[in-house]
Amino acid sequence: MANMALVQLSSLPQPEVAGPKMGAPIAVVGVAGYAGGELARILLQHPRYSPKNLSFFGRADGETPDVSRPLSQVHPQLPIDDDVRVHPFSWGELERGGVKLLLLATPHEQSRLWIPEALRLGLRVIDLSGAWRLKDGRRRSMYHFTDKDGPLAEALQAEAVYGSPELHKNAIREARLVANPGCYATSIILALAPLLKAKLVDLERGVICDAKSGVSGAGKTPSPSTHFMYAADNLSAYSVFGHRHMGELLEQLHLSETQIQFTPHLLPIPRGILSTIYLRLTHEADGDAIVETMRQFYRDCPFVRIRQAGMLPQIQHIVRTNFCDLGAVVDEKTRRVVIVSCLDNLLKGAAGQAIQNLNLMLGWGETEGLL
Amino acid sequence: MANMALVQLSSLPQPEVAGPKMGAPIAVVGVAGYAGGELARILLQHPRYSPKNLSFFGRADGETPDVSRPLSQVHPQLPIDDDVRVHPFSWGELERGGVKLLLLATPHEQSRLWIPEALRLGLRVIDLSGAWRLKDGRRRSMYHFTDKDGPLAEALQAEAVYGSPELHKNAIREARLVANPGCYATSIILALAPLLKAKLVDLERGVICDAKSGVSGAGKTPSPSTHFMYAADNLSAYSVFGHRHMGELLEQLHLSETQIQFTPHLLPIPRGILSTIYLRLTHEADGDAIVETMRQFYRDCPFVRIRQAGMLPQIQHIVRTNFCDLGAVVDEKTRRVVIVSCLDNLLKGAAGQAIQNLNLMLGWGETEGLL
Amino acid sequence: MANMALVQLSSLPQPEVAGPKMGAPIAVVGVAGYAGGELARILLQHPRYSPKNLSFFGRADGETPDVSRPLSQVHPQLPIDDDVRVHPFSWGELERGGVKLLLLATPHEQSRLWIPEALRLGLRVIDLSGAWRLKDGRRRSMYHFTDKDGPLAEALQAEAVYGSPELHKNAIREARLVANPGCYATSIILALAPLLKAKLVDLERGVICDAKSGVSGAGKTPSPSTHFMYAADNLSAYSVFGHRHMGELLEQLHLSETQIQFTPHLLPIPRGILSTIYLRLTHEADGDAIVETMRQFYRDCPFVRIRQAGMLPQIQHIVRTNFCDLGAVVDEKTRRVVIVSCLDNLLKGAAGQAIQNLNLMLGWGETEGLL
Amino acid sequence: MANMALVQLSSLPQPEVAGPKMGAPIAVVGVAGYAGGELARILLQHPRYSPKNLSFFGRADGETPDVSRPLSQVHPQLPIDDDVRVHPFSWGELERGGVKLLLLATPHEQSRLWIPEALRLGLRVIDLSGAWRLKDGRRRSMYHFTDKDGPLAEALQAEAVYGSPELHKNAIREARLVANPGCYATSIILALAPLLKAKLVDLERGVICDAKSGVSGAGKTPSPSTHFMYAADNLSAYSVFGHRHMGELLEQLHLSETQIQFTPHLLPIPRGILSTIYLRLTHEADGDAIVETMRQFYRDCPFVRIRQAGMLPQIQHIVRTNFCDLGAVVDEKTRRVVIVSCLDNLLKGAAGQAIQNLNLMLGWGETEGLL
């Protein structure tokens, strides 16, 4: 983070360090939201980035003021640096800045509309919205995009890579368009992928995912259900049998709707997701075997931590980190398994995973800026 | 509360009790908000009221739907009783119901406009807004009422009684219009009134009030500062040197602006106010003497509890009660006193105090429905 | 609550009311804990009880001081009344007071030891601990009672009635010993009983219960997992496949261990339980049919509220009430059902349900003191 | 943080970077507590430290197990690295490791006893406890040290430097023993130092400090007042006129007890302090002048941020940073000033400030590891 707070610190002696190779310019759009703020925070600490090769923009939907202002006014927890500014969005500005890669923390509808243009201009894109995650158009209809997808959008959709580094690392490295996964979806997909691959899951009986998320997942726009008086001291289930992230589970895990179900709940905490996942094994295995299967699957994945039996994941262990923690308890007699999966919905569930994808796309170390 | 949940309970045997005399019909306007919901909850448990002599209305500003609906849909924590409904407001409905007294939990502007009409129709009114609390027109200008006050409003303002039962019990009994006090103001006025009356406060040095309130004080309308992500895990000062409740302190305590100051803070809790008040004594006194002065002042006041030294008030002791708890610590060497005052901003700071006033106006026992 | 705060209020005029018939003396043991405090609060407001026919005792394990002290010092949120005191426990004191019924809010071990003696003395007992809930001795071994059960304990265990008024109303009316249900168990049993009775649940596939509870369920003794820093902003699963309340589910719902599983979680809130329950129907039914089955089952049960589709239960709706709220969502294609069940663990999950049992045992109206 | 998670990451390609000069070995004692955990987290990310020149020890009072165990078991939020271990404390181990500097996050009593020995062994020490902060022995008696201070302790006390980098930067650079300031004291001292130096504060009228802290300030040992049920949804004042940090205010600000008072409160949040400070100016000045006075005072201080009028500090802006934010509102007519000061009690109020001191003592850049 030595690049921060330049004005304040300029008179202080700085250690001389031959630093890493810096990246080509990149831009963040939608920096005023929660995920956008985390993108900014991470990139300003990232060894490949500094205010010189970063630019920040607001959204294009009137939420953004007409004039630029310091990022530290928008996110007062960030170090003060009047040279790091949020600008009203403009394609011209992007081109003038020589931007090569775009991180979009914008609403679904805006991402759906803009990305064809961005690709046409030769940019690579990481989109944090749900707009380009689903291959199946019927499922995508849950997002109610108002325009009809033409052949270009169809082709782009086919090309888009689902940005789960643990599942699609090589495709992400080459991708023009990465659809960054949903927060709930990430917590569930990472929990299930190893056991499904090992054919340990009794799909006839199906999988049940009971997931709980902090309020930041609902976004920054004030609404009745993000009111402190609604969320505090409360817990509520919502979108039972109808949450948009279901489509990601089906496509990424190759399951049918009868094989998996998912119920989200709103927790009275700022951030963090805990998913409790219920399944039966196809054949006998003990807890150690299950843990070992997970460990093998993720042996090259620096951001998935497999907990030993006796120390189940909990939200405080992963908040403000890019880790997804997994743990499992097995009832051997009945072959029942309970998996607990935790991540920070704004990091591994959004901005952190996006930077992990960026690192892969640009050839940086996967953990740079994230540990 | 035996009058609740009539539909569900009608087939159950009920104990036969010769109950208290029931009251003439009354109405609550603005029942959908937090204070309105508390008014409804208390009145439905009040020994003098049942759905037969109560009616509930929404606000008149478009917030209310056109058709009536069950109160338990608006406040799902209340017992289900489809006969207890919230109606769109209408003066005609009030008259048809024979309503004699109106409780207004409406915005300041609406209360300012409506109350002359209500009094013209012969109703008595308890107004929970700030519209009629301040005698001094200059101070009242902080509420930015858009209409000019004519002679009628001037006369009504002169007649309005500030609804602090501990200070104005007799006037409240006879009042046509009671201006129910502000939540912060109640916590500070009750803390200071005994020592000021006993001329124990060094007014040359002045009084400093550092007050902290839960989020319900900010109302039900979603806004950036009532968003869970803003309020949770946070504390912030606001309206420094400029809060509207200051006028109430000045008028009720007969102080000038140089003699008292008040800083409100937003606490990350649903409800409750704690005010920490700093003053110097005019002459030596120990903690016991201060506590005794308070006890004497409130000896006939069932809702003010004076804590012994060693057990300062805290918010959990008063939440969901109509009590205001007071405690004091004295530094004898320097004559400095710290008073801690706690109340529930929705009860003793709003709806509870309003019912206390109602009990006085209608000749019921002061604590009925409130203990 | 007119019986409270006698000292403070004695000089005030009180309305004269011919009240209900008062009860014979009863006692609460373990009044200093959370459930004990709720028992005291409810009984002091109950139309059949006043300080004259109530007595309060501490626990017998050294937690209690040697001398009596005012209840309002132990629970400062209660109205001040120096005549309402907590006494060190003694059998002699119970006999001298003519106590006929005992409410025990004591640890399991203490309840197991004391109840034979209490019954021998002719007392009726409502025990809030888990000591006498389970008929199956093997399951009861989870409580690790240090003494061997003799024939007397065997007989008493056979006689003990599981205190779920919705399931065993008539037996409770006649019972000498009522074993008040566990909080998690109540939320799950009430959710499942109607559908199981109607043979709508596919038991081959089994039932999964994902339950979440506030911190008061863990008791008042400070421990690492009740530390604010552990519980706040967190969520954690615990006792997976091994929670003591499992036995109650099996016995009360007549299920085997392969037919139901249950995972508790610790929520960062003071009180409230939400259980999300997953099952498949044996044959097709829509949401209305499921709701109607529940309504019929609970048509004479004043404390179970069945929510319409579109308004699922949430914790804020039931906190500080004795209600258990139930709601269901059905996926007709796959016959999957999600039931959401909410209650306040200290009320319907403990003290409130105990008073409901007391009302039944003594012939009072079931809702007296509880609405 | 590239040095973390070595086991997991060893097979991944790492970018080659010519890094900064590494430091001589240092050790942290008391790493299991909250401040100790933050010290470990910061040092493991610090560009001058890696597991090779860091060692971690438990406390010496039996809280520590006899065998070493991975740090990531003690603080599960830290990246897993089985080579980073917590050892039982031993002086011999320190010497064998060639440790040159000791960070003590130990109880007051332990720090008082150990530091003479540590200095005798030639170590430099940063002590996070209150043991060596106060020059005045009478004030130090609030800590109730059981041993009598001999001449050695007297000399060491005279030599100890109060570790506020903003006040004593040069002395810290040379110090053998740095007494790291208290959390409340830091928030108040930094708020007042500029105006006191400028002789703007009317000391005749005195300064009032109303401070509020999150629960981590109370330490990790479970107790009634750190129980979630006590702290949540609550606010309470404590140690009125008697908090230990008062001595630091008096000594560092050169004030007498009649010139300043301080009331701490316990906030229902994990971390963060907000102090609201009331004073009168000796002569007229507007808000801009006050802000400018602060800015000038802190112009070389990278961790103090002065907020413009209109954006007062709040806890969310500084949580998990080493910043102390300051803001002021002036009432020009009456010369009254309200200063709001915020910091994270575990960082700028403890571990962060300790690392800032470490950087100064060892010649690193003041912000290394902290931005």
Side-chain angles (χ1 to χ4, degrees):
Chain A
M1 226 199 247
N3 43 35
M4 299 296 301
L6 291 177
V7 169
Q8 281 192 328
L9 305 183
S10 54
S11 61
L12 299 175
Q14 295 294 326
E16 283 193 32
V17 175
K21 176 174 170 260
M22 298 301 275
I26 65 174
V28 177
V29 183
V31 77
Y34 299 134
E38 290 293 286
L39 287 173
R41 183 183 62 76
I42 298 168
L43 287 169
L44 287 163
Q45 296 178 335
H46 194 289
R48 308 291 177 169
Y49 295 94
S50 80
K52 288 180 188 158
N53 54 357
L54 286 174
S55 49
F56 300 110
F57 297 92
R59 287 153 45 175
D61 56 359
E63 176 243 37
T64 316
D66 289 341
V67 293
S68 74
R69 54 184 182 139
L71 178 63
S72 62
Q73 280 182 16
V74 180
H75 293 294
Q77 74 278 16
L78 293 177
I80 295 173
D81 181 349
D82 289 345
D83 290 346
V84 180
R85 304 184 77 80
V86 182
H87 303 283
F89 180 78
S90 101
W91 291 109
E93 197 71 35
L94 280 186
E95 289 194 271
R96 271 188 297 282
V99 167
K100 301 299 183 205
L101 186 146
L102 209 54
L103 287 144
L104 288 185
T106 42
H108 311 298
E109 183 70 29
Q110 185 172 332
S111 289
R112 193 75 194 169
L113 289 172
W114 283 20
I115 280 175
E117 174 67 6
L119 296 181
R120 203 187 57 76
L121 293 173
L123 297 165
R124 298 174 83 184
V125 181
I126 301 171
D127 179 32
L128 278 74
S129 86
W132 296 86
R133 292 177 194 151
L134 300 175
K135 301 297 182 195
D136 183 311
R138 196 169 36 86
R139 287 188 197 117
R140 214 162 50 235
S141 70
M142 295 187 71
Y143 287 97
H144 304 296
F145 299 123
T146 49
D147 63 320
K148 274 275 182 264
D149 276 350
L152 173 60
E154 295 285 342
L156 292 181
Q157 185 69 64
E159 180 189 339
V161 176
Y162 188 77
S164 175
E166 289 75 18
L167 300 188
H168 306 299
K169 191 169 292 188
N170 289 331
I172 291 165
R173 286 197 169 106
E174 310 299 324
R176 282 203 303 167
L177 169 55
V178 166
N180 210 56
C183 49
Y184 281 123
T186 302
S187 82
I188 295 169
I189 290 167
L190 293 179
L192 286 170
L195 302 195
L196 285 168
K197 186 184 171 210
K199 302 211 179 300
L200 278 162
V201 183
D202 181 345
L203 292 175
E204 173 61 28
R205 284 190 167 271
V207 177
I208 286 172
C209 309
D210 190 280
K212 304 91 175 171
S213 171
V215 181
S216 57
K220 199 172 184 172
T221 307
S223 73
S225 64
T226 61
H227 196 296
F228 184 86
M229 295 295 293
Y230 179 93
D233 289 348
N234 200 12
L235 183 74
S236 53
Y238 64 98
S239 299
V240 181
F241 294 117
H243 195 280
R244 287 164 171 176
H245 289 185
M246 190 65 192
E248 298 175 49
L249 304 184
L250 300 178
E251 294 193 357
Q252 295 300 315
L253 298 172
H254 309 292
L255 297 175
S256 72
E257 285 193 25
T258 59
Q259 292 171 327
I260 188 165
Q261 73 185 98
F262 152 50
T263 308
H265 300 73
L266 186 67
L267 280 174
I269 63 174
R271 46 203 279 178
I273 284 178
L274 184 147
S275 295
T276 313
I277 299 171
Y278 299 87
L279 58 88
R280 292 220 189 186
L281 296 172
T282 47
H283 53 272
E284 280 180 31
D286 62 10
D288 290 349
I290 298 301
V291 163
E292 187 54 29
T293 301
M294 290 178 167
R295 274 197 214 284
Q296 278 306 312
F297 190 94
Y298 292 118
R299 66 187 178 280
D300 295 331
C301 297
F303 291 114
V304 180
R305 297 191 295 202
I306 315 300
R307 296 300 193 184
Q308 297 285 11
M311 190 167 91
L312 283 175
Q314 50 183 252
I315 279 180
Q316 282 196 344
H317 298 168
I318 50 74
V319 158
R320 295 176 196 271
T321 80
N322 195 48
F323 291 111
C324 177
D325 281 9
L326 299 175
V329 184
V330 179
D331 184 48
E332 290 183 50
K333 283 176 303 188
T334 59
R335 295 185 183 167
R336 289 184 295 201
V337 179
V338 175
I339 305 177
V340 177
S341 170
C342 283
L343 53 77
D344 185 317
N345 54 299
L346 293 180
L347 292 176
K348 185 60 180 169
Q353 186 148 257
I355 301 301
Q356 201 181 343
N357 284 321
L358 176 115
N359 285 338
L360 292 170
M361 290 168 81
L362 299 180
W364 315 134
E366 187 172 353
T367 64
E368 284 189 58
L370 292 170
L371 276 185
Chain B
M1 229 198 242
N3 42 33
M4 297 297 301
L6 291 177
V7 170
Q8 279 192 329
L9 306 182
S10 57
S11 60
L12 299 175
Q14 295 295 324
E16 283 191 31
V17 175
K21 177 175 167 258
M22 299 301 276
I26 66 173
V28 176
V29 182
V31 76
Y34 299 134
E38 290 293 286
L39 287 173
R41 183 184 61 77
I42 298 169
L43 288 168
L44 287 163
Q45 296 178 336
H46 195 288
R48 310 290 177 167
Y49 296 94
S50 80
K52 287 180 189 158
N53 54 358
L54 285 174
S55 51
F56 300 110
F57 298 93
R59 286 155 44 174
D61 57 358
E63 174 244 37
T64 318
D66 290 341
V67 294
S68 74
R69 54 184 182 140
L71 177 63
S72 62
Q73 280 182 16
V74 180
H75 293 293
Q77 74 278 15
L78 293 177
I80 295 172
D81 181 349
D82 289 345
D83 291 345
V84 181
R85 303 184 78 81
V86 182
H87 303 284
F89 181 78
S90 102
W91 291 108
E93 197 70 37
L94 280 187
E95 289 196 271
R96 270 190 296 283
V99 167
K100 301 299 183 204
L101 186 146
L102 209 55
L103 288 145
L104 289 185
T106 41
H108 310 297
E109 183 70 29
Q110 186 172 331
S111 289
R112 192 76 194 167
L113 289 172
W114 282 20
I115 279 175
E117 175 67 6
L119 296 181
R120 205 187 57 75
L121 293 173
L123 296 165
R124 298 174 83 185
V125 181
I126 302 170
D127 178 33
L128 279 75
S129 87
W132 297 86
R133 290 178 194 151
L134 300 175
K135 301 296 181 195
D136 183 312
R138 196 169 36 87
R139 286 188 198 119
R140 214 160 51 236
S141 70
M142 296 186 72
Y143 287 98
H144 304 298
F145 299 122
T146 50
D147 63 321
K148 272 278 181 261
D149 276 350
L152 174 59
E154 296 284 344
L156 291 181
Q157 186 69 63
E159 180 190 341
V161 175
Y162 188 77
S164 175
E166 289 76 18
L167 300 188
H168 306 299
K169 193 170 293 189
N170 289 330
I172 291 164
R173 287 196 170 106
E174 309 299 325
R176 282 202 304 167
L177 169 54
V178 167
N180 210 56
C183 50
Y184 281 124
T186 301
S187 83
I188 294 169
I189 289 168
L190 293 179
L192 286 169
L195 302 194
L196 285 168
K197 187 186 170 207
K199 303 212 177 299
L200 279 162
V201 183
D202 181 347
L203 291 176
E204 174 60 26
R205 284 189 168 273
V207 178
I208 286 172
C209 308
D210 191 280
K212 305 92 176 171
S213 171
V215 181
S216 57
K220 199 170 182 174
T221 308
S223 73
S225 63
T226 61
H227 196 296
F228 184 86
M229 295 296 291
Y230 179 94
D233 288 349
N234 200 11
L235 183 74
S236 53
Y238 63 99
S239 298
V240 181
F241 294 117
H243 194 279
R244 288 165 171 177
H245 288 186
M246 190 65 191
E248 299 175 48
L249 303 185
L250 299 179
E251 295 194 358
Q252 295 300 316
L253 297 173
H254 308 290
L255 296 175
S256 72
E257 285 193 25
T258 58
Q259 293 171 326
I260 188 166
Q261 72 184 99
F262 152 51
T263 308
H265 300 73
L266 186 68
L267 281 173
I269 64 174
R271 46 202 278 177
I273 283 178
L274 185 148
S275 296
T276 312
I277 299 171
Y278 299 87
L279 58 88
R280 293 220 187 186
L281 296 172
T282 48
H283 52 270
E284 281 180 28
D286 64 9
D288 290 347
I290 297 301
V291 162
E292 187 54 29
T293 301
M294 290 178 167
R295 272 197 216 283
Q296 277 305 313
F297 189 92
Y298 292 118
R299 67 188 176 280
D300 295 331
C301 296
F303 291 115
V304 180
R305 297 190 295 202
I306 316 299
R307 295 300 192 183
Q308 297 285 12
M311 192 168 89
L312 283 175
Q314 51 183 253
I315 279 180
Q316 282 196 344
H317 298 168
I318 50 73
V319 159
R320 294 177 197 272
T321 80
N322 196 48
F323 291 111
C324 176
D325 281 8
L326 299 175
V329 185
V330 179
D331 184 46
E332 291 183 48
K333 282 177 305 190
T334 59
R335 296 186 184 169
R336 290 184 294 201
V337 180
V338 174
I339 305 177
V340 177
S341 171
C342 283
L343 52 77
D344 184 317
N345 55 299
L346 293 180
L347 292 176
K348 186 59 180 168
Q353 186 148 255
I355 301 300
Q356 202 181 341
N357 284 321
L358 175 114
N359 285 338
L360 291 171
M361 291 168 81
L362 299 179
W364 315 133
E366 187 172 352
T367 64
E368 284 189 59
L370 292 170
L371 275 184
Chain C
M1 229 200 245
N3 43 33
M4 299 296 301
L6 290 178
V7 170
Q8 279 193 329
L9 305 183
S10 57
S11 60
L12 298 175
Q14 295 294 325
E16 283 190 32
V17 175
K21 176 173 167 261
M22 298 301 276
I26 66 174
V28 177
V29 182
V31 76
Y34 299 134
E38 290 293 288
L39 286 172
R41 183 184 62 75
I42 298 168
L43 288 168
L44 287 164
Q45 296 177 336
H46 194 288
R48 309 290 177 169
Y49 295 94
S50 80
K52 288 179 189 160
N53 54 358
L54 286 173
S55 50
F56 300 110
F57 297 93
R59 288 155 42 173
D61 55 359
E63 174 244 37
T64 316
D66 290 340
V67 294
S68 74
R69 54 182 182 143
L71 178 63
S72 62
Q73 280 182 16
V74 181
H75 294 293
Q77 72 280 14
L78 292 177
I80 296 172
D81 181 349
D82 288 345
D83 290 345
V84 181
R85 303 185 78 81
V86 183
H87 304 283
F89 181 78
S90 103
W91 291 109
E93 197 70 37
L94 280 186
E95 288 194 272
R96 271 190 296 283
V99 167
K100 301 300 182 203
L101 187 146
L102 210 55
L103 288 144
L104 288 185
T106 42
H108 311 297
E109 183 71 28
Q110 186 172 331
S111 288
R112 193 76 193 167
L113 288 172
W114 282 21
I115 279 174
E117 174 68 5
L119 296 181
R120 204 187 56 77
L121 293 172
L123 296 165
R124 299 174 81 185
V125 181
I126 302 170
D127 178 33
L128 278 75
S129 87
W132 296 87
R133 291 177 194 150
L134 299 175
K135 301 298 181 195
D136 184 312
R138 195 170 35 88
R139 285 188 198 119
R140 215 160 50 235
S141 69
M142 296 186 71
Y143 287 98
H144 304 296
F145 300 122
T146 50
D147 63 320
K148 273 277 182 262
D149 277 349
L152 174 60
E154 296 285 342
L156 291 181
Q157 186 69 62
E159 180 190 338
V161 175
Y162 188 76
S164 174
E166 290 75 18
L167 300 187
H168 306 300
K169 191 170 294 189
N170 289 330
I172 291 164
R173 286 198 171 106
E174 309 299 325
R176 282 203 303 167
L177 170 54
V178 167
N180 211 56
C183 50
Y184 281 124
T186 302
S187 82
I188 294 169
I189 290 167
L190 293 180
L192 286 170
L195 302 194
L196 285 167
K197 187 187 170 205
K199 304 211 177 299
L200 278 162
V201 182
D202 181 346
L203 292 176
E204 174 60 29
R205 285 187 167 272
V207 178
I208 285 171
C209 308
D210 189 280
K212 303 95 176 171
S213 171
V215 180
S216 57
K220 199 169 182 173
T221 307
S223 73
S225 64
T226 62
H227 196 296
F228 184 86
M229 294 296 292
Y230 179 93
D233 289 350
N234 201 10
L235 183 74
S236 53
Y238 64 99
S239 298
V240 181
F241 294 118
H243 195 279
R244 288 166 171 177
H245 289 186
M246 190 66 191
E248 299 175 47
L249 303 184
L250 299 179
E251 294 194 357
Q252 295 300 315
L253 297 172
H254 308 291
L255 296 174
S256 73
E257 284 194 24
T258 58
Q259 291 172 326
I260 188 166
Q261 72 185 99
F262 152 51
T263 308
H265 299 73
L266 186 67
L267 280 175
I269 63 175
R271 46 204 278 177
I273 284 178
L274 184 147
S275 296
T276 313
I277 300 170
Y278 299 87
L279 58 89
R280 293 219 188 186
L281 296 172
T282 48
H283 52 271
E284 281 180 29
D286 62 10
D288 290 347
I290 297 301
V291 163
E292 187 53 28
T293 300
M294 290 178 168
R295 272 196 214 285
Q296 277 305 312
F297 189 92
Y298 291 118
R299 66 186 176 282
D300 295 332
C301 297
F303 291 115
V304 181
R305 298 190 294 201
I306 315 300
R307 297 300 194 184
Q308 297 285 12
M311 191 167 89
L312 283 174
Q314 50 184 254
I315 280 180
Q316 282 197 343
H317 297 168
I318 50 73
V319 160
R320 294 174 198 272
T321 79
N322 195 48
F323 290 110
C324 176
D325 281 9
L326 300 174
V329 184
V330 179
D331 183 47
E332 290 183 49
K333 282 176 305 190
T334 59
R335 294 186 184 170
R336 290 184 294 201
V337 179
V338 175
I339 304 177
V340 177
S341 171
C342 283
L343 54 76
D344 184 316
N345 54 300
L346 293 180
L347 292 176
K348 185 60 179 167
Q353 187 148 255
I355 301 300
Q356 201 182 342
N357 285 321
L358 175 113
N359 285 338
L360 291 171
M361 291 168 81
L362 299 179
W364 316 133
E366 188 172 352
T367 64
E368 284 190 59
L370 291 170
L371 275 185
Chain D
M1 230 201 244
N3 43 34
M4 298 297 300
L6 292 176
V7 170
Q8 280 193 329
L9 305 183
S10 56
S11 62
L12 298 175
Q14 295 294 326
E16 284 191 30
V17 175
K21 175 176 169 260
M22 297 302 275
I26 66 174
V28 177
V29 182
V31 76
Y34 299 135
E38 290 293 288
L39 286 173
R41 184 185 61 76
I42 297 168
L43 287 169
L44 287 163
Q45 296 178 335
H46 194 289
R48 309 290 178 169
Y49 295 94
S50 79
K52 289 179 188 159
N53 54 358
L54 285 174
S55 50
F56 300 110
F57 298 93
R59 288 154 44 174
D61 57 358
E63 176 244 37
T64 317
D66 290 341
V67 295
S68 74
R69 53 182 182 141
L71 177 64
S72 62
Q73 280 182 16
V74 181
H75 293 293
Q77 73 279 14
L78 293 177
I80 296 172
D81 180 350
D82 288 345
D83 290 345
V84 180
R85 302 185 77 81
V86 182
H87 303 283
F89 181 78
S90 102
W91 292 109
E93 197 71 36
L94 279 186
E95 289 195 272
R96 270 188 298 281
V99 167
K100 302 298 183 205
L101 186 146
L102 209 54
L103 288 144
L104 288 186
T106 41
H108 311 297
E109 184 70 30
Q110 186 172 329
S111 289
R112 192 76 194 169
L113 289 172
W114 283 20
I115 280 175
E117 173 68 6
L119 295 181
R120 203 187 58 78
L121 293 173
L123 296 166
R124 297 174 83 185
V125 181
I126 301 170
D127 179 32
L128 279 74
S129 87
W132 296 87
R133 290 177 195 151
L134 299 176
K135 301 297 181 195
D136 183 311
R138 197 170 35 87
R139 286 189 198 118
R140 214 160 52 235
S141 71
M142 296 187 71
Y143 287 98
H144 305 295
F145 298 123
T146 51
D147 63 320
K148 274 276 181 265
D149 276 351
L152 174 60
E154 295 285 341
L156 291 181
Q157 186 68 65
E159 179 189 341
V161 176
Y162 188 78
S164 174
E166 289 76 18
L167 300 187
H168 306 298
K169 191 169 293 188
N170 289 332
I172 292 164
R173 286 196 170 108
E174 310 298 325
R176 282 203 304 166
L177 170 54
V178 167
N180 211 55
C183 50
Y184 281 123
T186 302
S187 82
I188 294 169
I189 290 168
L190 293 179
L192 286 170
L195 302 195
L196 284 168
K197 186 186 172 208
K199 302 211 179 299
L200 279 163
V201 182
D202 181 346
L203 291 175
E204 174 61 27
R205 285 189 167 272
V207 178
I208 286 172
C209 308
D210 190 279
K212 305 93 177 170
S213 171
V215 181
S216 57
K220 198 171 185 174
T221 307
S223 74
S225 63
T226 61
H227 196 295
F228 184 86
M229 294 296 291
Y230 179 93
D233 290 348
N234 201 11
L235 183 74
S236 53
Y238 65 98
S239 298
V240 181
F241 294 117
H243 194 279
R244 287 165 172 177
H245 288 186
M246 190 67 192
E248 299 175 48
L249 303 185
L250 299 179
E251 295 194 357
Q252 295 301 315
L253 297 173
H254 308 291
L255 296 176
S256 72
E257 285 194 25
T258 59
Q259 291 172 328
I260 188 165
Q261 72 184 99
F262 150 51
T263 308
H265 299 73
L266 186 68
L267 281 174
I269 63 174
R271 49 202 276 178
I273 283 179
L274 184 147
S275 296
T276 313
I277 299 171
Y278 299 87
L279 57 89
R280 292 218 189 188
L281 296 172
T282 47
H283 52 269
E284 280 179 30
D286 62 9
D288 289 349
I290 298 301
V291 163
E292 187 54 29
T293 301
M294 291 178 166
R295 274 197 214 284
Q296 277 306 312
F297 189 94
Y298 292 118
R299 66 187 178 281
D300 295 331
C301 297
F303 291 115
V304 181
R305 298 190 295 201
I306 315 300
R307 295 301 192 182
Q308 297 285 10
M311 190 166 91
L312 284 175
Q314 49 184 253
I315 280 180
Q316 282 197 344
H317 298 168
I318 50 73
V319 159
R320 293 173 198 274
T321 80
N322 196 48
F323 290 111
C324 177
D325 281 8
L326 300 175
V329 184
V330 179
D331 184 47
E332 291 184 49
K333 281 176 306 188
T334 59
R335 294 185 184 170
R336 291 184 294 203
V337 179
V338 175
I339 305 177
V340 177
S341 170
C342 283
L343 53 77
D344 185 316
N345 54 299
L346 293 180
L347 293 176
K348 185 59 179 169
Q353 187 148 256
I355 301 301
Q356 201 181 341
N357 285 320
L358 176 115
N359 285 338
L360 292 170
M361 291 168 81
L362 299 179
W364 315 134
E366 187 172 353
T367 64
E368 285 189 59
L370 292 170
L371 275 184

